Amino acid sequence: MVEMAICLPVLVLLVWGTIEIANSIHAKQVLLSAAHEGAMLAQQPSVTDTEVLSKVNAVLTARQVDGCTITLVGDSGQAYTSLTPGELFQITVSRDDSNHFVNISSVSVVVKGMKQ
Amino acid sequence: MNSTRPLFKNRKAAVVVLFALLLPVLLVIFGFTIDYANMQRVRAESQVIADLSAKTACNVLSTTNDTLAAANAAKVVASGNTIAGTAHQLRDQDIEFGNAVQNGSGGWDFSSGGTPYNSVRVMIKRDATTPDGGVNLFFGALYGQPNFDLEQTATASFRELDICLVLDRSGSMKRPAVGTLTSAEWLARVDLPPQPDSRFVAVLDAVDVFVTALATTANPEQLAGVTYASDATLDESITFTHSNVTTAFRDYSLNPMYGGTETKKGIEEARKHLEAIASGRDQIIVLLTDGTYDGGNPFDEAAKCADKGIQVYTISFGDDANQADMQQIAASGNGEHYHASDPAELSSVFKRLAGDFTILID
């Protein structure tokens, strides 16, 4: 019993930590795929930011992820619609998962692309 | 023989010893698990950068025909993004220009250096030979592998297209593009040619924008023109001289136009023409209407196009247009639907269509 009391916490901590980290890597992967889709769309000419955001949202919904914050702005914070061809935009998708004991799963992904 | 004879005389703390011995092994296993998951994520991350920079370079190439400008654009996009926290620097040898042709089985064959250039291949590479070296592993020290190599590529190409524009020339196209008319106002113009403020003229202007935008790209696309009301006509056969198509369309604005909206006939006329050409290039139909179809079933016709490899893009124009139907036609025809509620939006839709003819092929 005493041995168990020494070993079990270490083992549980290891397993739990592995799961938690893997979980956050997976979450990041999902956010990345959503940002990817959005960026591919945002690279097209005459696209509005609303269209891009709804595309990103659609991917997140399909992957059953909610509670995300999505922003689409120019590289230096200006409005996406004000960008001229050749300027960079950036899409940020972040998820703050406060359900976790240690908030390791709050992840954020930034993808940059060029306006056409 | 006593089968219950203990292995150790004193079993106390044996498990702790065993656990202590196993712990390093467990750490390696867990560390590798996390590293492996992260490796996949980093690969996905670099694929995103490869895709975005290849597509950007191809777009720049298609509008400027300048490989230096295209390569620079790819570098700017890549260095704006990070791989495992490090901004990625593309080297010149990571960007290849070449020619890609469709190989008949749905795929593309890219030949590096082949001319005329219609494709860009971008390679995202991190290993001992690149400036940033391999990508670090978190627990690599535990199992003697400090980093891993990365090599992801993406190839973007111009689509060589045959585009058939299918325009609605039903009676309602004489209505103003913005706002409504009283019945007296409508009666006054019903037997006149389409007026400058009419939907039809707005469409003609937008088609001009489309043709101008096509001319700014290096993509060698061909254009054909079909119009439809209660019947459908092929007004201009497929041609590289895009102005022939706009001129043919303009001719309709000289006389009053009448008739229904037999969308199915319009799509059918375009499909027959494109099928007859059998050019081996990608073929698309761009269908525009301001109303609701009557006559035959346009959805089945669009599906028939999709069967033949012809994509049907649809544009609904104005508040009277049946957007749901157009959406369904686009879905059946394996294309996309756009809605424009005023002439400015219509021009922007056409501009976007013309600018979206570069695709990722690999």
Side-chain angles (χ1 to χ4, degrees), chain A residues 28-101:
Chain A
K28 219 167 171 177
Q29 180 101 289
V30 172
L31 301 194
L32 180 73
S33 71
H36 184 197
E37 291 291 331
M40 292 303 279
L41 181 63
Q43 289 210 131
Q44 293 179 17
S46 310
V47 175
T48 65
D49 39 6
T50 325
E51 285 174 282
V52 177
L53 296 189
S54 66
K55 179 87 192 182
V56 176
N57 260 320
V59 177
L60 291 172
T61 309
R63 303 287 295 265
Q64 295 175 320
V65 179
D66 49 13
C68 290
T69 319
I70 311 159
T71 57
L72 170 63
V73 291
D75 199 23
S76 41
Q78 70 274 45
Y80 170 76
T81 40
S82 73
L83 295 179
T84 54
E87 289 189 293
L88 289 182
F89 61 81
Q90 78 172 60
I91 296 183
T92 312
V93 185
S94 50
R95 171 164 154 262
D96 184 28
D97 192 345
S98 46
N99 291 330
H100 284 254
F101 181 57

Coordinates of all heavy atoms in Angstrom, one line a residue, chain A residues 28-101:
Chain A
K28 N -4.6 22.4 -31.4 CA -3.9 23.4 -32.2 C -4.0 23.0 -33.7 O -4.1 23.8 -34.6 CB -2.4 23.4 -31.8 CG -1.8 24.8 -31.9 CD -0.5 24.9 -31.1 CE 0.1 26.2 -31.4 NZ 1.3 26.5 -30.8
Q29 N -3.9 21.7 -33.9 CA -4.0 21.1 -35.3 C -5.4 21.5 -35.9 O -5.4 21.9 -37.1 CB -3.9 19.6 -35.2 CG -4.0 18.9 -36.4 CD -2.6 18.5 -36.9 OE1 -1.8 19.3 -37.3 NE2 -2.3 17.2 -36.9
V30 N -6.4 21.4 -35.1 CA -7.8 21.7 -35.6 C -7.9 23.2 -35.9 O -8.4 23.6 -37.0 CB -8.8 21.3 -34.6 CG1 -10.2 21.8 -35.0 CG2 -8.9 19.8 -34.4
L31 N -7.4 24.0 -35.0 CA -7.4 25.4 -35.3 C -6.6 25.8 -36.5 O -7.0 26.7 -37.3 CB -6.9 26.2 -34.1 CG -7.6 26.0 -32.7 CD1 -7.2 27.1 -31.8 CD2 -9.1 26.0 -32.8
L32 N -5.5 25.1 -36.7 CA -4.7 25.3 -37.8 C -5.4 25.0 -39.1 O -5.3 25.8 -40.1 CB -3.4 24.5 -37.7 CG -2.4 24.6 -38.9 CD1 -1.7 26.0 -38.8 CD2 -1.4 23.5 -38.9
S33 N -6.1 23.9 -39.2 CA -6.8 23.6 -40.4 C -7.9 24.6 -40.7 O -8.1 24.9 -41.9 CB -7.4 22.1 -40.3 OG -8.4 22.1 -39.4
A34 N -8.5 25.1 -39.7 CA -9.6 26.1 -39.9 C -8.9 27.4 -40.4 O -9.4 28.0 -41.4 CB -10.3 26.4 -38.6
A35 N -7.8 27.8 -39.8 CA -7.1 29.0 -40.2 C -6.6 28.9 -41.7 O -6.6 29.8 -42.4 CB -6.0 29.4 -39.3
H36 N -6.1 27.7 -42.0 CA -5.7 27.3 -43.3 C -6.7 27.6 -44.4 O -6.5 28.3 -45.4 CB -5.2 25.9 -43.4 CG -4.6 25.4 -44.7 ND1 -4.5 24.1 -45.0 CD2 -4.1 26.1 -45.7 CE1 -3.9 24.0 -46.2 NE2 -3.7 25.2 -46.6
E37 N -7.9 27.0 -44.1 CA -9.0 27.2 -45.1 C -9.4 28.7 -45.2 O -9.6 29.2 -46.3 CB -10.3 26.5 -44.5 CG -10.2 25.0 -44.6 CD -10.2 24.5 -46.0 OE1 -10.8 25.1 -46.9 OE2 -9.6 23.4 -46.2
G38 N -9.4 29.4 -44.1 CA -9.7 30.8 -44.1 C -8.7 31.6 -44.9 O -9.0 32.5 -45.7
A39 N -7.4 31.3 -44.7 CA -6.3 32.0 -45.4 C -6.4 31.8 -46.9 O -6.1 32.7 -47.7 CB -5.0 31.6 -44.8
M40 N -6.7 30.5 -47.3 CA -6.7 30.2 -48.7 C -7.8 31.1 -49.3 O -7.7 31.6 -50.5 CB -7.1 28.7 -49.0 CG -5.9 27.8 -48.6 SD -4.4 28.1 -49.4 CE -4.6 27.3 -51.0
L41 N -8.9 31.2 -48.6 CA -10.0 32.1 -49.1 C -9.7 33.5 -49.1 O -9.9 34.3 -50.1 CB -11.3 31.8 -48.3 CG -12.5 32.6 -48.7 CD1 -13.0 32.2 -50.1 CD2 -13.7 32.4 -47.7
A42 N -9.0 34.0 -48.0 CA -8.7 35.4 -47.9 C -7.6 35.8 -48.9 O -7.5 37.0 -49.2 CB -8.2 35.7 -46.5
Q43 N -7.0 34.9 -49.5 CA -6.0 35.2 -50.6 C -6.6 35.5 -51.9 O -6.0 36.0 -52.8 CB -5.0 34.1 -50.8 CG -4.0 33.9 -49.6 CD -2.7 33.4 -50.0 OE1 -1.6 33.9 -49.6 NE2 -2.7 32.3 -50.8
Q44 N -7.9 35.2 -52.0 CA -8.6 35.5 -53.3 C -9.0 36.9 -53.4 O -9.2 37.6 -52.4 CB -9.9 34.6 -53.4 CG -9.6 33.1 -53.5 CD -10.8 32.3 -53.6 OE1 -11.9 32.8 -53.9 NE2 -10.7 31.0 -53.4
P45 N -9.1 37.4 -54.6 CA -9.5 38.8 -54.8 C -11.0 39.1 -54.4 O -11.8 38.1 -54.5 CB -9.2 39.1 -56.2 CG -9.2 37.8 -56.9 CD -8.8 36.8 -55.9
S46 N -11.3 40.3 -54.0 CA -12.7 40.7 -53.7 C -13.4 39.8 -52.7 O -14.6 39.5 -52.9 CB -13.5 40.7 -55.0 OG -12.9 41.4 -56.0
V47 N -12.7 39.3 -51.7 CA -13.4 38.6 -50.7 C -13.6 39.5 -49.5 O -12.7 40.3 -49.2 CB -12.5 37.4 -50.3 CG1 -13.1 36.6 -49.1 CG2 -12.3 36.4 -51.4
T48 N -14.7 39.3 -48.8 CA -14.9 40.2 -47.6 C -14.5 39.4 -46.4 O -14.5 38.2 -46.4 CB -16.4 40.5 -47.5 OG1 -17.2 39.3 -47.2 CG2 -16.9 41.2 -48.7
D49 N -14.2 40.2 -45.3 CA -13.8 39.5 -44.1 C -14.9 38.6 -43.5 O -14.6 37.6 -42.9 CB -13.2 40.5 -43.0 CG -14.0 41.8 -43.0 OD1 -15.0 41.9 -43.7 OD2 -13.6 42.7 -42.3
T50 N -16.2 39.0 -43.7 CA -17.3 38.2 -43.2 C -17.3 36.8 -43.8 O -17.5 35.8 -43.1 CB -18.6 38.9 -43.6 OG1 -18.5 40.3 -43.5 CG2 -19.7 38.4 -42.7
E51 N -17.0 36.8 -45.1 CA -16.9 35.5 -45.8 C -15.8 34.6 -45.2 O -16.0 33.4 -45.0 CB -16.7 35.7 -47.3 CG -17.9 36.1 -48.1 CD -17.5 36.5 -49.5 OE1 -16.9 37.5 -49.8 OE2 -17.7 35.6 -50.4
V52 N -14.7 35.2 -45.0 CA -13.5 34.5 -44.4 C -13.9 33.9 -43.0 O -13.7 32.7 -42.8 CB -12.3 35.3 -44.4 CG1 -11.1 34.6 -43.8 CG2 -11.9 35.8 -45.8
L53 N -14.4 34.8 -42.2 CA -14.7 34.4 -40.8 C -15.8 33.3 -40.8 O -15.7 32.3 -40.1 CB -15.3 35.6 -40.0 CG -14.3 36.7 -39.8 CD1 -14.8 37.7 -38.8 CD2 -12.9 36.2 -39.3
S54 N -16.8 33.3 -41.8 CA -17.8 32.3 -41.8 C -17.2 31.0 -42.3 O -17.6 29.9 -41.9 CB -19.0 32.7 -42.5 OG -18.8 32.8 -43.9
K55 N -16.2 31.1 -43.2 CA -15.5 29.9 -43.6 C -14.8 29.2 -42.5 O -14.9 28.0 -42.3 CB -14.5 30.2 -44.8 CG -13.7 29.1 -45.3 CD -14.5 28.4 -46.4 CE -13.9 27.1 -46.8 NZ -14.6 26.5 -48.0
V56 N -14.0 30.0 -41.7 CA -13.3 29.5 -40.6 C -14.2 28.8 -39.6 O -14.0 27.7 -39.1 CB -12.4 30.6 -39.9 CG1 -11.7 30.0 -38.7 CG2 -11.4 31.1 -40.9
N57 N -15.3 29.6 -39.3 CA -16.4 29.0 -38.4 C -16.9 27.7 -38.9 O -17.2 26.8 -38.1 CB -17.5 30.1 -38.2 CG -17.3 30.9 -37.0 OD1 -16.9 30.3 -36.0 ND2 -17.6 32.1 -37.0
A58 N -17.2 27.6 -40.2 CA -17.7 26.4 -40.8 C -16.8 25.2 -40.5 O -17.3 24.1 -40.1 CB -18.0 26.6 -42.3
V59 N -15.5 25.4 -40.7 CA -14.6 24.3 -40.4 C -14.6 23.9 -39.0 O -14.6 22.8 -38.6 CB -13.1 24.7 -40.9 CG1 -12.1 23.6 -40.6 CG2 -13.1 25.0 -42.4
L60 N -14.6 25.0 -38.1 CA -14.6 24.7 -36.7 C -15.8 23.9 -36.2 O -15.8 23.0 -35.4 CB -14.4 26.0 -35.9 CG -13.1 26.7 -36.0 CD1 -13.2 28.1 -35.3 CD2 -12.0 25.9 -35.4
T61 N -17.0 24.3 -36.8 CA -18.2 23.7 -36.5 C -18.2 22.2 -37.0 O -18.6 21.3 -36.2 CB -19.4 24.4 -37.2 OG1 -19.3 25.8 -36.9 CG2 -20.7 23.9 -36.7
A62 N -17.6 22.0 -38.2 CA -17.6 20.6 -38.7 C -16.7 19.8 -37.8 O -16.9 18.6 -37.7 CB -17.0 20.7 -40.1
R63 N -15.7 20.4 -37.2 CA -14.8 19.6 -36.3 C -15.3 19.7 -34.9 O -14.5 19.2 -34.0 CB -13.3 20.2 -36.4 CG -12.7 20.2 -37.8 CD -12.4 18.8 -38.3 NE -11.3 18.2 -37.5 CZ -10.0 18.2 -37.9 NH1 -9.7 18.9 -38.9 NH2 -9.1 17.6 -37.1
Q64 N -16.4 20.2 -34.7 CA -17.1 20.2 -33.4 C -16.2 20.9 -32.3 O -16.1 20.5 -31.2 CB -17.5 18.8 -32.9 CG -18.5 18.2 -33.8 CD -18.8 16.8 -33.5 OE1 -18.0 16.0 -33.2 NE2 -20.1 16.5 -33.5
V65 N -15.7 22.1 -32.7 CA -15.0 22.9 -31.7 C -15.7 24.2 -31.6 O -16.1 24.8 -32.5 CB -13.5 23.2 -32.3 CG1 -12.8 24.1 -31.3 CG2 -12.8 22.0 -32.6
D66 N -16.0 24.5 -30.3 CA -16.7 25.8 -30.1 C -15.9 26.7 -29.2 O -14.9 26.3 -28.6 CB -18.2 25.7 -29.7 CG -18.3 24.7 -28.6 OD1 -17.3 24.4 -28.0 OD2 -19.5 24.3 -28.3
G67 N -16.4 27.9 -29.0 CA -15.8 28.8 -28.1 C -14.5 29.4 -28.6 O -13.5 29.6 -27.8
C68 N -14.4 29.5 -29.9 CA -13.1 30.1 -30.5 C -13.3 31.6 -30.8 O -14.4 32.0 -31.1 CB -12.8 29.4 -31.8 SG -12.3 27.7 -31.5
T69 N -12.2 32.3 -30.7 CA -12.1 33.7 -31.2 C -11.4 33.7 -32.5 O -10.2 33.2 -32.5 CB -11.4 34.5 -30.1 OG1 -11.8 34.1 -28.8 CG2 -11.8 36.0 -30.3
I70 N -12.0 34.4 -33.5 CA -11.3 34.5 -34.8 C -11.1 35.9 -35.1 O -12.1 36.7 -35.0 CB -12.1 33.8 -35.9 CG1 -12.6 32.4 -35.5 CG2 -11.4 33.7 -37.2 CD1 -13.8 31.9 -36.2
T71 N -9.9 36.3 -35.5 CA -9.7 37.7 -36.0 C -9.0 37.6 -37.4 O -8.2 36.7 -37.6 CB -8.9 38.5 -35.1 OG1 -7.6 37.9 -34.9 CG2 -9.6 38.7 -33.7
L72 N -9.4 38.6 -38.2 CA -8.7 38.7 -39.5 C -8.4 40.2 -39.7 O -9.3 41.0 -39.8 CB -9.7 38.2 -40.6 CG -9.2 38.5 -42.1 CD1 -7.9 37.8 -42.4 CD2 -10.3 38.2 -43.1
V73 N -7.1 40.5 -39.7 CA -6.7 41.9 -39.8 C -5.4 41.9 -40.7 O -4.8 40.9 -41.0 CB -6.3 42.5 -38.5 CG1 -7.6 42.7 -37.6 CG2 -5.3 41.7 -37.7
G74 N -5.1 43.1 -41.1 CA -3.8 43.3 -41.8 C -2.7 43.1 -40.9 O -2.8 43.0 -39.7
D75 N -1.5 42.9 -41.5 CA -0.3 42.5 -40.7 C 0.0 43.5 -39.6 O 0.5 43.2 -38.6 CB 0.9 42.5 -41.7 CG 2.0 41.7 -41.2 OD1 1.8 40.8 -40.3 OD2 3.2 41.9 -41.6
S76 N -0.3 44.8 -39.8 CA 0.0 45.8 -38.8 C -1.3 46.3 -38.1 O -1.4 47.4 -37.7 CB 0.8 46.9 -39.3 OG 0.4 47.3 -40.6
G77 N -2.3 45.4 -38.1 CA -3.5 45.7 -37.4 C -4.6 46.4 -38.1 O -5.7 46.6 -37.6
Q78 N -4.3 46.8 -39.4 CA -5.4 47.6 -40.1 C -6.5 46.6 -40.6 O -6.3 45.4 -40.6 CB -4.7 48.3 -41.3 CG -4.2 47.5 -42.5 CD -2.8 47.0 -42.3 OE1 -2.5 46.5 -41.2 NE2 -2.0 47.0 -43.3
A79 N -7.6 47.2 -41.1 CA -8.7 46.4 -41.5 C -8.4 45.6 -42.7 O -7.7 46.1 -43.6 CB -9.9 47.3 -41.8
Y80 N -8.9 44.3 -42.8 CA -8.6 43.5 -43.9 C -9.1 44.1 -45.2 O -8.4 44.0 -46.2 CB -9.3 42.1 -43.7 CG -9.3 41.2 -44.9 CD1 -8.1 40.5 -45.2 CD2 -10.4 41.0 -45.7 CE1 -8.1 39.7 -46.4 CE2 -10.4 40.2 -46.8 CZ -9.2 39.5 -47.1 OH -9.2 38.7 -48.2
T81 N -10.3 44.7 -45.2 CA -10.8 45.2 -46.4 C -10.0 46.4 -47.0 O -10.2 46.7 -48.1 CB -12.3 45.7 -46.2 OG1 -12.3 46.3 -44.9 CG2 -13.3 44.5 -46.2
S82 N -9.2 47.0 -46.1 CA -8.4 48.2 -46.6 C -7.1 47.8 -47.2 O -6.3 48.6 -47.7 CB -8.1 49.1 -45.4 OG -7.2 48.6 -44.6
L83 N -6.8 46.4 -47.2 CA -5.5 46.0 -47.7 C -5.5 46.1 -49.2 O -6.5 45.9 -49.9 CB -5.3 44.5 -47.3 CG -5.1 44.2 -45.8 CD1 -4.9 42.7 -45.7 CD2 -4.0 45.0 -45.3
T84 N -4.3 46.4 -49.7 CA -4.1 46.4 -51.2 C -3.3 45.1 -51.6 O -2.6 44.6 -50.7 CB -3.3 47.7 -51.6 OG1 -2.1 47.7 -50.9 CG2 -4.1 48.9 -51.4
P85 N -3.4 44.7 -52.8 CA -2.7 43.5 -53.2 C -1.2 43.6 -52.9 O -0.6 44.6 -53.1 CB -2.9 43.5 -54.8 CG -4.2 44.2 -55.0 CD -4.3 45.2 -53.9
G86 N -0.7 42.5 -52.4 CA 0.7 42.4 -52.0 C 0.9 42.6 -50.5 O 2.0 42.3 -50.0
E87 N -0.1 43.1 -49.8 CA 0.0 43.3 -48.3 C -0.4 42.0 -47.6 O -1.2 41.2 -48.1 CB -0.9 44.5 -47.8 CG -0.3 45.8 -48.3 CD -1.1 47.0 -47.6 OE1 -2.3 47.1 -47.9 OE2 -0.5 47.7 -46.9
L88 N 0.2 41.8 -46.4 CA -0.1 40.6 -45.7 C -1.3 40.8 -44.8 O -1.5 41.9 -44.2 CB 1.1 40.3 -44.8 CG 2.4 39.7 -45.5 CD1 3.5 39.4 -44.4 CD2 2.1 38.5 -46.3
F89 N -2.0 39.7 -44.6 CA -3.1 39.7 -43.6 C -2.8 38.6 -42.6 O -1.9 37.8 -42.9 CB -4.5 39.5 -44.3 CG -4.6 38.1 -45.0 CD1 -4.8 37.0 -44.3 CD2 -4.4 38.1 -46.4 CE1 -4.9 35.7 -44.9 CE2 -4.5 36.8 -47.0 CZ -4.7 35.7 -46.3
Q90 N -3.4 38.7 -41.5 CA -3.2 37.6 -40.5 C -4.5 37.1 -39.9 O -5.4 37.9 -39.5 CB -2.2 37.9 -39.5 CG -2.6 38.8 -38.4 CD -1.5 38.8 -37.3 OE1 -0.4 39.3 -37.6 NE2 -1.8 38.4 -36.1
I91 N -4.7 35.8 -39.9 CA -5.8 35.2 -39.2 C -5.4 34.6 -37.9 O -4.4 33.8 -37.9 CB -6.4 34.1 -40.1 CG1 -6.9 34.6 -41.4 CG2 -7.5 33.3 -39.4 CD1 -7.6 33.6 -42.3
T92 N -6.0 34.9 -36.9 CA -5.7 34.3 -35.6 C -7.0 33.6 -35.1 O -8.1 34.1 -35.1 CB -5.4 35.4 -34.5 OG1 -4.5 36.3 -35.1 CG2 -4.8 34.8 -33.3
V93 N -6.8 32.3 -34.8 CA -7.8 31.5 -34.2 C -7.4 31.0 -32.8 O -6.3 30.4 -32.7 CB -8.2 30.3 -35.1 CG1 -9.4 29.5 -34.5 CG2 -8.4 30.7 -36.5
S94 N -8.1 31.4 -31.8 CA -7.7 31.0 -30.5 C -8.8 30.4 -29.7 O -10.0 30.7 -29.9 CB -7.0 32.1 -29.7 OG -7.9 33.2 -29.8
R95 N -8.5 29.4 -28.8 CA -9.5 28.8 -28.0 C -9.0 28.8 -26.6 O -7.9 28.3 -26.3 CB -9.7 27.3 -28.5 CG -10.6 26.5 -27.6 CD -11.0 25.3 -28.4 NE -11.3 24.2 -27.4 CZ -10.4 23.2 -27.1 NH1 -9.2 23.2 -27.7 NH2 -10.8 22.3 -26.3
D96 N -9.8 29.3 -25.7 CA -9.5 29.3 -24.3 C -10.3 28.3 -23.6 O -11.5 28.5 -23.3 CB -9.7 30.7 -23.7 CG -9.2 30.8 -22.3 OD1 -8.3 30.1 -21.9 OD2 -9.8 31.6 -21.6
D97 N -9.7 27.2 -23.3 CA -10.5 26.1 -22.7 C -10.3 26.1 -21.2 O -9.4 25.5 -20.6 CB -10.0 24.8 -23.3 CG -11.0 23.7 -22.9 OD1 -11.8 23.9 -22.0 OD2 -11.0 22.6 -23.5
S98 N -11.2 26.8 -20.5 CA -11.1 27.0 -19.0 C -11.6 25.8 -18.3 O -11.5 25.7 -17.0 CB -11.8 28.2 -18.6 OG -13.1 28.3 -19.2
N99 N -12.1 24.7 -19.0 CA -12.6 23.6 -18.3 C -11.4 22.7 -17.7 O -11.6 21.9 -16.8 CB -13.4 22.7 -19.2 CG -14.7 23.3 -19.5 OD1 -15.2 24.1 -18.7 ND2 -15.2 23.0 -20.7
H100 N -10.2 23.0 -18.3 CA -9.1 22.1 -17.8 C -8.6 22.6 -16.5 O -8.5 23.8 -16.2 CB -8.1 22.1 -18.9 CG -8.5 21.2 -20.1 ND1 -7.9 20.0 -20.3 CD2 -9.4 21.4 -21.0 CE1 -8.5 19.4 -21.3 NE2 -9.4 20.2 -21.8
F101 N -8.1 21.6 -15.8 CA -7.6 21.9 -14.4 C -6.4 22.8 -14.5 O -6.3 23.9 -13.9 CB -7.2 20.5 -13.8 CG -6.6 20.7 -12.4 CD1 -7.4 21.3 -11.4 CD2 -5.4 20.2 -12.0 CE1 -7.0 21.5 -10.1 CE2 -4.9 20.4 -10.8 CZ -5.7 21.0 -9.8

